Amino acid sequence: MKFTAFLKTRGATAAIFMGIFYAVAMLGIFLPGYTAIPGNVDELPIAIINDDAGKNGAMIAENLQQNLPFKEIETDITNKQALKDLEHNDLALVVHIPKTFSENIQKGEASSSIDFTINEAGATVVSSTMNAIVTEINSQLSTQFSQQTAQGVLMNFNVPEKQAAELAEKIEKSYVGNVVTINEIPDGMNHNMLPMFLTMAGYVGAMIGAMQLVGAFRASRGKASKTRLFTYVQMAAILIAVVSSIIAVGVAYLIDKPSGDLFFGIVGQQILNYMVCFNFTAILIFLFGEGGMILNLPILLMQTIANGATITRDMMHAPYEWMSHISPMYYSVQAYFANLFGSISPSPYIWSMAAVGAVAMLINMAIVAFLHKPMPVQVSETEVEKKAAEITA
């Protein structure tokens, strides 16, 4: 056989196609998706709450609104509600100017601080970006409250020059930018990425499992009714989900060592994650057979950006944001963040993931019921002999 003839074989042509297809799909999905960093940082919502009874707070709040690079800045909200929204990652940063800020500044008290609160239990880009922005804000505020600036402000209020200079020095020393981090994640990128890696481990395993089990479904047609075979497929998937999830979570505990109290909750979520991803990826395989795996690959790649581990929905380009609403990976990652590091219940994300899985299973049932033609069930020789013996008896 010549090399040219070998290249024309089914395996060689398939390998060539997949090499080109995977390269185009990966680069064509990843590169546009990551252009949202830092380009779409201005889409992140933040809140600035000014409770200061004096004029300094109003001046700072107005300055921040004009200079910060965010399109959505909430000001008509209480600090308590803003912190609650921050815990749910509905806000990326909460800036709180306390009631006594101006009073403390004028007295030169060290308690005159502005609180900048950041939630680490979310997309990594958000927390790192907010930390950088807060550092810049504090630098600007330190400049704003420099001795010359403060002295000029006080002189406008008819304060004698000598007294103004003394007060200005106190102001310069008294300002504190208080950075508050809630739901802190332990040091190490392995901790930040654990929600995504657990989710992807389940998703990729479920996608390959769907290809194998649906293949077994097709190969077994005629040996049992398609309803029974579909049930067998789901039962086998549940068995694999339980075993693989226990092993996956065990490996995570060996390396990252999460709290032991969370073990059964994480195992339960991983089992659900596997089953939802299994039915989600099985749709295209039930429809197109092995060709469905080719279509599943770009969907998987798209979800690695749309799952919210790196960037939030607010930053995503439209196609990735749309995908996040039907993506089992998005809800799984957010549930893991809430469960492992957060202070909120993961239940809303768990229920949303379960809903995606239920819809996917219903679609698979419809495909099997209406698109897969029924085949007569073949009776094996052993079963024939057994029935004959029963009749004779």
Side-chain angles (χ1 to χ4, degrees):
M1 175 185 284
K2 294 183 178 180
F3 180 62
T4 53
F6 177 78
L7 288 178
K8 293 177 182 178
T9 60
R10 183 178 178 181
T13 53
I16 294 168
F17 172 79
M18 287 304 297
I20 297 171
F21 176 80
Y22 193 75
V24 172
M26 187 168 186
L27 295 174
I29 290 171
F30 278 7
L31 295 182
Y34 281 113
T35 59
I37 308 169
N40 286 1
V41 167
D42 60 348
E43 300 291 341
L44 293 172
I46 71 167
I48 300 175
I49 301 96
N50 176 30
D51 290 333
D52 185 20
K55 294 185 178 181
N56 284 305
M59 179 179 64
I60 291 171
E62 184 179 353
N63 241 355
L64 291 176
Q65 288 181 61
Q66 291 176 354
N67 296 318
L68 286 178
F70 300 107
K71 295 178 181 178
E72 186 179 343
I73 301 178
E74 293 191 42
T75 55
D76 188 20
I77 187 174
T78 65
N79 188 50
K80 182 178 180 180
Q81 181 60 47
L83 292 176
K84 184 177 179 181
D85 291 346
L86 181 69
E87 286 186 342
H88 288 81
N89 287 313
D90 294 329
L91 290 172
L93 172 68
V94 174
V95 182
H96 179 230
I97 306 171
K99 185 177 181 179
T100 58
F101 179 74
S102 289
E103 180 183 345
N104 293 337
I105 281 287
Q106 290 170 3
K107 292 178 180 178
E109 294 181 2
S111 59
S112 54
S113 64
I114 296 177
D115 294 330
F116 301 89
T117 310
I118 301 166
N119 184 8
E120 283 198 353
T124 54
V125 166
V126 174
S127 58
S128 61
T129 301
M130 290 304 111
N131 271 303
I133 288 174
V134 167
T135 300
E136 180 63 24
I137 291 173
N138 278 323
S139 175
Q140 291 180 8
L141 288 177
S142 295
T143 302
Q144 183 177 339
F145 282 102
S146 66
Q147 188 167 348
Q148 292 89 351
T149 304
Q151 184 174 343
V153 171
L154 292 169
M155 286 294 289
N156 290 333
F157 295 140
N158 299 318
V159 179
E161 184 175 357
K162 184 178 179 181
Q163 186 180 353
E166 293 174 357
L167 290 173
E169 188 176 352
K170 288 183 179 180
I171 288 174
E172 184 179 15
K173 293 178 180 178
S174 65
Y175 170 73
V176 176
N178 185 30
V179 181
V180 180
T181 302
I182 62 172
N183 303 325
E184 289 191 40
I185 297 177
D187 292 335
M189 200 65 178
N190 55 308
H191 295 289
N192 289 79
M193 300 307 291
L194 180 59
M196 180 175 173
F197 289 159
L198 274 172
T199 297
M200 287 197 69
Y203 191 101
V204 174
M207 183 173 68
I208 296 172
M211 181 183 69
Q212 300 295 336
L213 290 176
V214 174
F217 169 89
R218 291 174 177 273
S220 301
R221 293 293 305 277
K223 298 179 181 178
S225 67
K226 59 183 183 180
T227 302
R228 176 173 290 189
L229 290 175
F230 182 83
T231 304
Y232 289 167
V233 165
Q234 296 295 328
M235 290 172 62
I238 291 173
L239 178 62
I240 297 168
V242 172
V243 175
S244 64
S245 296
I246 292 173
I247 294 172
V249 175
V251 172
Y253 266 80
L254 285 173
I255 299 170
D256 278 28
K257 301 178 177 62
S259 170
D261 296 340
L262 300 175
F263 181 81
F264 291 107
I266 297 173
V267 169
Q269 181 184 328
Q270 190 71 0
I271 292 171
L272 176 64
N273 175 43
Y274 185 98
M275 289 304 300
V276 172
C277 296
F278 174 84
N279 280 285
F280 184 81
T281 56
I283 293 173
L284 292 173
I285 302 174
F286 272 120
L287 280 173
F288 305 112
E290 291 183 2
M293 275 298 285
I294 299 174
L295 300 175
N296 269 326
L297 283 174
I299 294 174
L300 166 63
L301 295 175
M302 199 167 185
Q303 287 183 84
T304 58
I305 296 175
N307 64 35
T310 306
I311 59 178
T312 65
R313 273 179 177 165
D314 300 297
M315 293 179 66
M316 294 176 193
H317 296 307
Y320 302 90
E321 182 189 352
W322 297 337
M323 173 59 74
S324 73
H325 290 284
I326 61 168
S327 163
M329 285 184 69
Y330 176 85
Y331 298 114
S332 177
V333 166
Q334 301 311 310
Y336 274 133
F337 268 125
N339 201 6
L340 288 166
F341 310 116
S343 52
I344 60 172
S345 171
S347 297
Y349 302 112
I350 295 290
W351 284 112
S352 296
M353 182 166 55
V356 171
V359 171
M361 181 179 283
L362 289 174
I363 293 173
N364 286 327
M365 291 170 66
I367 293 171
V368 170
F370 300 111
L371 299 183
H372 286 247
K373 295 180 180 179
M375 294 179 62
V377 178
Q378 300 174 0
V379 182
S380 66
E381 293 182 5
T382 306
E383 290 177 339
V384 170
E385 292 174 357
K386 184 177 179 182
K387 287 183 179 180
E390 290 177 353
I391 294 171
T392 306

